[in-house]
């Protein structure tokens, strides 16, 4: 019996996966929270970013910057394909198209016809090679002040870059949303006809927002695959709904909400996992270890329900940005 | 009583529906819009005189709002063309119409509730470079313009007595204040033609007088006003010219003093009351109320009194168009 699981939970605060989720949620906040675009395919944007990065770096040996650009370009094209036909129509068209498009991506990359490039249902391994090659950190394992949180140089490198990207994205959203551009965007969320009547090209703004949030989703896809292999089934609809959960936890129209939401989401999952295992080992809980996985998500669901009841605007949100009204 | 534009300054021709104006700012020709089997708008020819206040009236469902939507690019007609300042507007998207100087408000107010009054106003401004996504990142590039915009917004808000509410969310305003805000916001871009769809609907009577004053001021400042209204008192007080629509068509136009006694107009309003029993004096009274026409009303009332039927008081004459009258708190999101 040990308290190691607590350190595991604390480690989530630096975890690159948590950073990837935060980054993708920042994109979602631009879409849904600020612009009012119902994008139910953020997992698709992550997949596009991840695949563009992995394919160009592993299969075609592109330099690192080229692969990053490919991820950005891929997400941009994906946003244009989804946005141009739907953003002139009623709001629900985008949600239907995005949810379908994300599934199309996930199922297409798995088909044998494409597997030479996409790796089929195996996915792609080793996308981090070029990324780790430019790691400036010295080789070795480093801990944080004597705690059990010890990582090797590559683990540190992805943590620094991942959270650095999150910080940059937060800064970007902060700068945009205090500006006249942000004002137009938030006006569109409230009533796009009113904004149109004031001479703003609403369609163009919606496309810009969709691209911007989509590119953050694409970059999140890159951060997500760097510490692991690329698996197509990681990009199911469930991923998008986890991102929505994180967004609503933190507050839908906030700068730091996604960061805090993502950390809380993952720390909670990790803590409950540890506590449940502890309970099972001690014979207190009438469960098997295989049941702990689903139960963690039930607990997160209950937490979300409580949040919606007692703090519907999320942790950081303001009352006026209520999304459950 | 504000100074009215003389009829002889508006047109020299014989006054019939579609009459040529001396100096039209908008010319619409053969504009029609069908919804399924219903022809909502079918305007053969209409010219809006520049620099004056034109009222667009007609019974509920006459197609006034649809006509507004067509002119401003919010809806596309089945046929027709129209010009603004001599430039064709057919197929021009709504935001470009607005940029050309033709700004409209909506029958159901569209105050942006989740934004403050001042932010609503700033959004109405044009030529703010900071609305470009790349420029927006660098505050020094748009700060000076923003100060200029804020100053103009505060001037307008002061005029509309909303300056003390500048930091309040628009959702906290009353229905009438939202109408005022929407109008003030439309003026941020210094438009040439202001189109108001039922500016008085749902406005507290205490505010109507000041709203009337604001509309007359627009004309004094050189703007052209086209507004939809049900309140005949308001139309008589401030309009220089009245256009009457019924079942999508322009059935009459002319100065307010004569247009309400036009048989075509009386027909139009009577026609909207198929369900009313016009054989009874009560039925006729109802129509007279709806028309808000003193002429028709006094005639019917005279008959009613003779017949010993109680005549409803018509002291405050709010819009009778209850169905389309927004009430406070209509915009629950
Ligand atoms: N989007 C629409 N779809 C179907 N019918 C419509 C639509 N908009 C308006 N109409 C119909 O067109 C007619 C004119 O409506 P409207 O322009 O709102 O009248 P008004 O503003 O004069 O009261 C009405 O019969 C209305 O029901
Ligand atoms: Mg109407």
């Amino acid at each position: 019996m040990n308290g190691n699981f607590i350190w595991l939970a604390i480690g989530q605060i630096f975890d690159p996966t948590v950073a990837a989720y935060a980054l993708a949620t920042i994109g979602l906040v631009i879409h849904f929270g600020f612009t009012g675009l119902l994008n139910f395919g953020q997992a698709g944007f992550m997949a596009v970013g991840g695949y563009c990065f992995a394919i160009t770096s592993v299969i075609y040996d592109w330099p690192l910057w080229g692969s990053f650009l490919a991820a950005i370009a891929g997400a941009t094209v994906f946003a244009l394909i989804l946005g141009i036909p739907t953003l002139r129509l009623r709001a629900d068209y985008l949600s239907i198209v995005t949810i379908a498009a994300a599934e199309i991506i996930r199922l297409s990359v798995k088909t044998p016809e494409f597997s030479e490039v996409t790796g089929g249902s195996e996915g792609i391994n080793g996308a981090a090679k070029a990324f780790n090659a430019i790691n400036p950190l010295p080789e070795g394992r480093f801990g944080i002040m004597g705690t059990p949180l010890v990582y090797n140089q590559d683990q540190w490198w992805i943590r620094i870059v991942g959270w650095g990207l999150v910080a940059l994205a937060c800064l970007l959203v902060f700068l945009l949303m205090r500006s006249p551009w942000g004002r137009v965007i938030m006006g569109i969320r409230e009533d796009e006809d009113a904004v149109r009547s004031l001479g703003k090209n609403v369609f163009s703004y919606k496309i810009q927002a969709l691209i911007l949030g989509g590119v953050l989703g694409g970059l999140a896809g890159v951060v997500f695959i760097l510490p692991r292999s690329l698996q197509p089934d990681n990009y199911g609809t469930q991923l998008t709904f986890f991102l929505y959960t994180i967004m609503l936890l933190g507050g839908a129209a906030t700068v730091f909400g996604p960061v805090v939401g993502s950390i809380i989401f993952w720390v909670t999952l990790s803590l409950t996992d540890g506590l449940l295992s502890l309970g099972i080992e001690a014979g207190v809980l009438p469960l098997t270890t295989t049941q702990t996985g689903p139960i963690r998500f039930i607990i997160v669901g209950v937490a979300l329900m409580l949040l919606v009841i007692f703090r519907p605007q999320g942790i950081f949100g303001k009352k006026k940005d209520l999304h459950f009204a | 009583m504000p100074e009215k534009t003389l009829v002889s300054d508006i047109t020299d021709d014989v006054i019939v529906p579609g009459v040529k104006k001396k100096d039209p700012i908008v010319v619409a020709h053969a504009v029609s819009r069908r919804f399924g089997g219903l022809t909502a708008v079918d305007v053969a020819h209409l010219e809006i005189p520049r620099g004056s206040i034109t009222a667009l009236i007609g019974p509920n469902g006459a197609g006034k709002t649809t006509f507004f939507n067509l002119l401003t690019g919010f809806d596309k007609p089945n046929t027709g063309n129209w010009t603004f300042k001599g430039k064709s507007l057919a197929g021009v998207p709504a935001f470009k119409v607005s940029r050309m100087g033709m700004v409209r408000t909506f029958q159901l107010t569209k105050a942006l509730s989740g934004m403050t009054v001042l932010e609503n106003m700033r959004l109405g401004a044009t030529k703010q470079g900071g609305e470009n996504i790349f420029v927006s990142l660098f505050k020094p590039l748009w700060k000076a313009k923003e100060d200029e915009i804020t100053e103009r917004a505060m001037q307008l808000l002061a005029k509309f007595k909303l300056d003390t509410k500048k930091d309040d969310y628009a959702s906290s305003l009353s229905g009438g204040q939202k109408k005022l805000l929407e109008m003030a916001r439309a003026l941020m871009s210094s438009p040439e033609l202001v189109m108001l769809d039922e500016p008085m609907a749902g406005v507290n009577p205490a505010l109507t007088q000041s709203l009337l004053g604001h509309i007359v001021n627009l004309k004094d400042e050189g703007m052209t006003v086209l507004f939809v209204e049900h309140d005949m008192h308001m139309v008589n007080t401030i309009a220089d010219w009245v256009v009457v629509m019924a079942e999508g068509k322009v059935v009459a136009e002319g100065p307010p003093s004569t247009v309400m006694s036009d048989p075509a107009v009386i027909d139009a309003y009577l026609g909207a009351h198929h369900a009313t029993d016009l054989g009874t004096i009560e039925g006729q009274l109802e129509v007279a109320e709806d028309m808000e026409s003193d002429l028709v009303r006094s005639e019917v009332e005279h008959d009613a009194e003779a017949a010993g039927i109680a005549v409803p008081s018509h002291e405050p004459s709010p819009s009778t168009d209850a169905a389309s009258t927004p009430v406070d708190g209509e915009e629950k999101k």
Side-chain angles (χ1 to χ4, degrees), chain B residues 152-164 214:
Chain B
R152 177 165 167 73
M154 286 313 294
Q155 281 169 6
L156 275 167
L157 284 177
K159 242 197 224 172
F160 284 79
K161 301 224 163 44
L162 287 170
D163 47 341
T164 54
H214 290 310

Side-chain angles (χ1 to χ4, degrees), chain B:
Chain B
M1 210 42 151
E3 194 99 357
K4 293 275 188 108
T5 308
L6 296 173
V7 174
S8 59
D9 286 340
I10 294 177
T11 182
D12 281 337
D13 295 10
V14 181
I15 298 175
V16 291
V19 59
K20 294 241 172 317
K21 305 294 167 4
K22 281 184 168 170
D23 183 18
I25 189 164
V26 171
V27 179
H29 192 76
V31 175
S32 74
R33 174 72 165 107
R34 283 187 299 277
F35 294 113
L38 175 92
T39 304
V41 168
D42 185 12
V43 170
H45 191 85
L46 182 65
E47 303 188 355
I48 308 296
R50 191 192 305 266
S52 43
I53 301 178
T54 302
L56 182 60
I57 66 168
N60 215 1
K64 306 178 295 291
T65 297
T66 308
F67 189 52
F68 255 47
N69 290 345
L70 294 173
L71 289 183
T72 50
F74 279 86
D75 194 4
K76 295 203 170 18
N78 296 96
T79 68
N81 52 67
W82 64 103
T83 60
F84 172 63
K85 296 188 290 180
K87 289 186 215 83
S88 173
L89 281 191
V92 176
F95 78 93
K96 281 193 184 151
V97 172
S98 166
R99 284 188 195 171
M100 288 169 76
M102 180 167 169
V103 175
R104 56 99 47 106
T105 65
F106 295 87
Q107 181 169 352
L108 296 172
T109 27
K110 290 193 185 294
L112 304 165
S113 332
M115 295 166 75
T116 65
V117 167
L118 186 56
E119 284 288 87
N120 261 274
M121 292 296 287
R122 287 177 176 144
L123 192 59
T126 50
K127 303 199 181 75
Q128 168 54 285
E131 288 178 1
N132 175 290
I133 189 166
F134 299 110
V135 178
S136 75
L137 295 174
F138 307 99
K139 195 171 181 184
L141 296 180
W142 48 263
K143 177 75 168 57
K145 182 72 186 176
E146 192 77 348
D147 292 342
E148 203 181 293
I149 287 170
T150 305
E151 200 185 317
R152 177 165 167 73
M154 286 313 294
Q155 281 169 6
L156 275 167
L157 284 177
K159 242 197 224 172
F160 284 79
K161 301 224 163 44
L162 287 170
D163 47 341
T164 54
K165 306 222 174 258
K166 71 180 170 76
D167 295 322
D168 295 5
Y169 286 109
S171 53
S172 71
L173 300 181
S174 74
Q177 287 171 326
K178 281 182 189 160
K179 286 261 169 194
L180 283 176
L181 173 61
E182 206 187 354
M183 199 165 137
R185 191 179 64 192
L187 299 180
M188 280 298 289
S189 64
S190 311
E192 283 174 65
L193 172 62
V194 183
M195 297 176 54
L196 309 168
D197 197 348
E198 304 207 15
M200 292 301 194
V203 175
N204 163 354
L207 269 178
T208 38
Q209 209 51 42
S210 80
L211 236 169
L212 284 183
H214 290 310
I215 296 177
V216 173
N217 277 341
L218 300 182
K219 175 183 159 186
D220 294 342
E221 286 165 24
M223 283 173 248
T224 306
V225 179
L226 175 65
F227 72 102
V228 172
E229 192 48 68
H230 281 274
D231 185 337
M232 276 310 131
H233 172 69
M234 171 172 175
V235 171
N236 279 322
T237 314
I238 64 169
D240 301 307
W241 193 260
V242 180
V243 175
V244 187
M245 278 181 82
E247 293 173 6
K249 294 186 166 58
V250 173
V251 293
E253 58 176 307
S257 51
T258 61
V259 83
M260 287 316 290
S261 51
D262 187 320
V265 178
I266 297 173
D267 267 0
Y269 276 89
L270 292 178
H273 284 259
H274 296 301
T276 315
D277 182 0
L278 293 169
T280 68
I281 288 173
E282 284 93 339
Q284 291 176 15
L285 266 176
E286 195 185 306
V287 174
E289 278 293 304
D290 194 11
M291 280 186 71
E292 306 263 343
S293 161
D294 289 337
L295 186 96
V296 178
R297 178 158 52 207
S298 65
E299 254 172 44
V300 180
E301 278 174 9
H302 186 78
D303 292 351
E305 268 159 32
I309 293 169
V311 172
S313 134
H314 45 84
E315 257 317 290
S317 52
S319 166
T320 48
D321 186 15
S324 67
T325 301
V327 287
D328 285 10
E330 71 199 82
E331 293 142 302
K332 289 244 162 61
K333 268 222 159 170

Side-chain angles (χ1 to χ4, degrees), chain A residues 115-183:
Chain A
S115 61
E116 215 150 277
V117 181
T118 61
S121 42
E122 304 284 296
I124 300 172
N125 259 318
K129 210 176 92 210
F131 177 75
N132 288 336
I134 63 156
N135 184 354
L137 301 174
E139 236 172 274
R141 296 177 64 81
F142 314 93
I144 303 175
M145 290 179 293
T147 66
L149 300 175
V150 179
Y151 309 110
N152 71 23
Q153 76 279 5
D154 288 342
Q155 288 171 320
W156 275 113
W157 179 223
I158 177 59
R159 278 167 175 71
I160 292 167
V161 173
W163 285 104
L165 277 173
V166 170
L168 276 179
C170 285
L171 179 68
L172 183 72
V173 173
F174 168 76
L175 290 177
L176 284 174
M177 294 310 162
R178 67 161 189 185
S179 79
W181 186 86
R183 182 163 63 218

